[in-house]
Amino acid sequence: MANVSLVNVEKTYPNGFQAVKRFNLDIRDGEFIIFVGPSGCGKSTTMRMIAGLEEISSGELWIDGQLANFLEPGQRELSMVFQNYALYPYMSVYENMAFGLRVHKVERSEIDRKVRETARMLQIDHLLDRRPAALSGGQKQRVAIGSVLVREPKLLLMDEPLSNLDAKLRSQMREELAKIHRRFSSTIVYVTHDQVEAMTLADRIVVMKEGEIQQIASPNEIYNNPVNQFVAGFIGSPSMNFLPVRSGVENGNYFLQAGESRLAIPALLAKRIKDQGGFGKELILGIRPEDLHRKKEMSESAGQTGGELQMKVMVREGLGAEVLLHGEIAGENACVKLDPSCGTRPGETIALVPDMTKIKLFDAQTGENLLYLSLKR
Ligand SMILES: Nc1ncnc2c1ncn2[C@@H]1O[C@H](COP(=O)(O)OP(=O)(O)O)[C@@H](O)[C@H]1O
Ligand SMILES: [Mg+2]
């Protein structure tokens, strides 16, 4: 159980490179926080400053109400799991997991109970007698996580703990981490460049780019209400489609023009765009692959008959439960997610109707989402 606050935390490396800028975040007790962003955006640097492995250049780090900038790592009562986990090669799995508790002079029967219980939860209880050399990569990683969890750290820091695992194991471990978080009440700070991990595990996601926080919000909010084009494009798979559009008004009707296609803007949306000064600016229309629908599948009464987009289909990707069509809309790469019953083949051109209630509009210059809802909390 721990709460952590970072106040205007910055990191400038000795070579003058500023890796983290004005980082502000309050992590609540028991929260699962995930830092996500492209490689090199400062995730590990921030994590290492929390751990005490990297000096904080300026700003304050508070752990449980105590200023922690100058505490040694060992005084911070936290545990870390890295991508390159370390196990003692000459100790059995059991001994590896028990080691931290032995060092802290925990009673033998208590150690035994904790190790076995944690091993059961991580499904490594049948491996307790083995040496690390006799384990697969995934099993080693579980042991590494297990040897941290037995100590029930109040603050658990994990830097890309799953990135060495294959896809199947990664998704299993994702589920296990979610369970672990429900079982233990540890506060978890977790770093990944994998937006799927972020979306499935986090209570709140911190999206970073070039050392700066772009947005802090729940997965749901990040997905539906991204603050800018970067966040919108980074979160979601396949990514959101982006089309340069011109906005205008004709006979009192507002529209977006993408190439040859014209989309009518519903009145309420037009008002919001107007309030944001969006008309007359260069805009980027953002629409997720699942928010584009086949024209013939739309009923006229759906209230979304305000125009369509032509897509030239180049690749069809059948995924079983859905089909992805990749191609071009108004000269831009685009992707649409449709029902597998759709028989469209590469080479065809299809008419797609965007769900205008789901669209995003970005200022082409700043990337800012004009339709971002700033929520009071
Ligand atoms: N010791 C260092 N000296 C100078 N620059 C560094 C050092 N460590 C990391 N960096 C740079 O800081 C930036 C952020 O690195 P890092 O926090 O590791 O990114 P991430 O974990 O998001 O991939 C990168 O551009 C990296 O090259
Ligand atoms: Mg890193």
Side-chain angles (χ1 to χ4, degrees), residues 13 15 17 19 38-45:
Y13 280 110
N15 67 359
F17 182 76
S39 180
C41 70
K43 306 181 295 293
S44 295
T45 301

Side-chain angles (χ1 to χ4, degrees), residues 2-6 25-29 31 50 61-65 78 154-155 157 187 189 204:
N3 46 61
V4 180
S5 291
L6 295 102
L25 173 66
D26 283 319
I27 303 172
R28 296 188 275 266
D29 193 16
E31 202 171 17
I50 297 174
L61 170 69
W62 297 82
I63 300 178
D64 279 341
L78 47 79
K154 57 180 194 172
L155 177 57
L157 306 181
T187 306
V189 183
R204 282 189 301 160

Side-chain angles (χ1 to χ4, degrees), residues 53-117:
L53 301 174
E54 202 68 73
E55 200 172 291
I56 297 171
S57 306
S58 68
E60 298 155 27
L61 170 69
W62 297 82
I63 300 178
D64 279 341
Q66 191 183 6
L67 188 64
N69 289 49
F70 309 108
L71 292 182
E72 292 298 322
Q75 298 174 305
R76 298 188 188 196
E77 289 184 68
L78 47 79
S79 294
M80 276 195 91
V81 180
F82 295 96
Q83 180 180 340
N84 299 311
Y85 35 89
L87 296 174
Y88 299 102
Y90 300 110
M91 290 186 190
S92 67
V93 167
Y94 185 99
E95 288 162 341
N96 263 285
M97 289 178 67
F99 186 77
L101 296 172
R102 292 229 170 98
V103 169
H104 285 94
K105 308 254 186 289
V106 178
E107 208 177 302
R108 185 173 284 267
S109 62
E110 177 73 359
I111 293 179
D112 193 64
R113 190 184 61 76
K114 283 189 169 163
V115 168
R116 290 185 191 280
E117 188 185 303

Side-chain angles (χ1 to χ4, degrees), residues 6 9 20 23 35 42-51 208:
L6 295 102
V9 166
V20 177
F23 196 102
F35 298 168
K43 306 181 295 293
S44 295
T45 301
T46 308
M47 174 80 100
R48 291 168 58 80
M49 287 193 286
I50 297 174
M208 296 178 67

Side-chain angles (χ1 to χ4, degrees), residues 87-286:
L87 296 174
Y88 299 102
Y90 300 110
M91 290 186 190
S92 67
V93 167
Y94 185 99
E95 288 162 341
N96 263 285
M97 289 178 67
F99 186 77
L101 296 172
R102 292 229 170 98
V103 169
H104 285 94
K105 308 254 186 289
V106 178
E107 208 177 302
R108 185 173 284 267
S109 62
E110 177 73 359
I111 293 179
D112 193 64
R113 190 184 61 76
K114 283 189 169 163
V115 168
R116 290 185 191 280
E117 188 185 303
T118 309
R120 215 169 18 251
M121 197 176 59
L122 291 169
Q123 294 167 24
I124 48 175
D125 40 343
H126 59 297
L127 305 172
L128 287 172
D129 295 329
R130 290 204 198 163
R131 294 268 173 90
L135 302 175
S136 72
Q139 290 168 337
K140 279 185 207 159
Q141 183 64 319
R142 286 166 197 231
V143 176
I145 292 175
S147 50
V148 165
L149 287 178
V150 286
R151 279 176 276 159
E152 296 176 29
K154 57 180 194 172
L155 177 57
L156 180 55
L157 306 181
M158 302 176 116
D159 193 345
E160 312 231 7
L162 307 186
S163 60
N164 283 344
L165 308 182
D166 65 47
K168 181 155 178 275
L169 207 57
R170 220 166 37 226
S171 100
Q172 277 176 13
M173 284 301 292
R174 261 206 319 267
E175 278 177 40
E176 266 160 40
L177 283 172
K179 282 188 216 151
I180 286 165
H181 181 236
R182 282 196 297 269
R183 277 277 316 272
F184 293 80
S185 42
S186 302
T187 306
I188 303 181
V189 183
Y190 187 106
V191 162
T192 181
H193 62 270
D194 179 353
Q195 49 100 12
V196 179
E197 274 171 36
M199 287 298 288
T200 51
L201 288 172
D203 290 321
R204 282 189 301 160
I205 296 176
V206 178
V207 184
M208 296 178 67
K209 179 193 171 197
E210 293 166 11
E212 284 185 277
I213 295 179
Q214 304 291 300
Q215 188 167 10
I216 305 172
S218 70
N220 200 14
E221 187 185 338
I222 294 265
Y223 193 79
N224 293 299
N225 189 32
V227 70
N228 60 29
Q229 190 179 352
F230 174 81
V231 173
F234 192 79
I235 300 287
S237 174
S239 319
M240 185 182 282
N241 298 302
F242 297 120
L243 302 174
V245 290
R246 193 168 59 76
S247 56
V249 57
E250 203 173 75
N251 305 325
N253 297 315
Y254 290 92
F255 64 85
L256 296 172
Q257 186 85 31
E260 304 287 289
S261 309
R262 180 168 286 200
L263 302 170
I265 305 174
L268 284 171
L269 202 56
K271 181 175 181 312
R272 287 178 61 199
I273 299 169
K274 213 160 37 177
D275 290 348
Q276 296 298 317
F279 287 102
K281 268 189 193 158
E282 280 179 61
L283 300 176
I284 307 281
L285 168 67

